[in-house]
Amino acid sequence: MERTFIAVKPDGVQRGLIGEIIKRFETRGFRLVASKFMKASEDFMKTHYLDLKDMPFYAGLCKYMSSGPVFAMVWEGQNIVKLVRMMLGETNPADSKPGSIRGDLCINIGRNIIHGSDTLENAKREVGLWFKAEEFVEYTPCTQPFLYE
Ligand code: DAT
Ligand code: MG
């Protein structure tokens, strides 16, 4: 089982899309293991997006991501990092296919409503950055034998 970090961005929160986004991961069969509604600081977002520090949009991105609340989550499932990235669509909603979250729910690259870790290595780093050990909820989901052979 893998875990990945997902966040509904300030635009997704303001547009009332938290429920729609959670629904997609729930109905796919993934398991929610941690979540919180919070406002991140600009410095925290600079750490989160450190890989992009040389990009021209880095400063604006970090400022925007700390401008309002985000809904941060950790989800678990087989091959989840790759599958969630496919469910998100492309970084630019204009290139995202209908049926994907960005392809269905947003228009502009700077307002693409959702973050999802892009690799297993980054997923581990982001999960550790956003959540403490005691924030994970342990439980046995009753659906496991009907989702996995
Ligand atoms: P993703 O969020 O698909 O992993 P990324 O990690 O390359 O994409 O970039 C992080 C965010 O930065 C992205 O969701 C939106 C913003 N962004 C990326 N490229 C951009 C660009 N060319 N102009 C403006 N914002 C951009
Ligand atoms: Mg990324």
Side-chain angles (χ1 to χ4, degrees):
M1 284 295 162
E2 284 176 17
R3 287 180 173 186
T4 196
F5 173 71
I6 297 171
V8 181
K9 295 181 177 183
D11 46 329
V13 172
Q14 289 288 352
R15 291 184 51 216
L17 295 173
I18 296 173
E20 166 69 26
I21 287 169
I22 289 177
K23 190 184 91 172
R24 298 210 177 199
F25 300 121
E26 274 187 325
T27 52
R28 184 79 192 254
F30 297 134
R31 181 163 87 108
L32 182 66
V33 290
S35 70
K36 59 185 165 188
F37 186 54
M38 58 175 280
K39 202 163 155 181
S41 71
E42 201 169 330
D43 280 351
F44 184 86
M45 290 315 308
K46 282 182 180 164
T47 306
H48 169 82
Y49 279 126
L50 201 60
D51 291 2
L52 300 174
K53 66 177 187 323
D54 298 326
M55 303 304 275
F57 56 83
Y58 176 68
L61 171 67
C62 296
K63 200 176 169 86
Y64 178 65
M65 286 294 291
S66 58
S67 68
V70 297
F71 194 76
M73 300 167 272
V74 180
W75 287 81
E76 187 179 88
Q78 198 172 72
N79 210 15
I80 192 170
V81 176
K82 180 182 162 208
L83 295 182
V84 164
R85 287 295 293 197
M86 291 175 75
M87 290 172 75
L88 258 54
E90 302 300 321
T91 300
N92 190 344
D95 299 326
S96 301
K97 291 199 174 72
S100 66
I101 292 169
R102 287 167 174 165
D104 285 348
L105 303 174
C106 54
I107 298 164
N108 183 265
I109 192 165
R111 297 290 183 268
N112 63 5
I113 70 169
I114 184 166
H115 169 83
S117 309
D118 61 348
T119 62
L120 189 54
E121 190 189 350
N122 279 337
K124 285 179 182 154
R125 186 181 78 84
E126 291 169 6
V127 167
L129 178 68
W130 286 78
F131 287 92
K132 300 190 196 89
E134 61 266 28
E135 290 177 297
F136 292 88
V137 181
E138 294 302 327
Y139 64 106
T140 307
C142 59
T143 49
Q144 276 336 61
F146 302 101
L147 286 164
Y148 299 104
E149 191 176 23

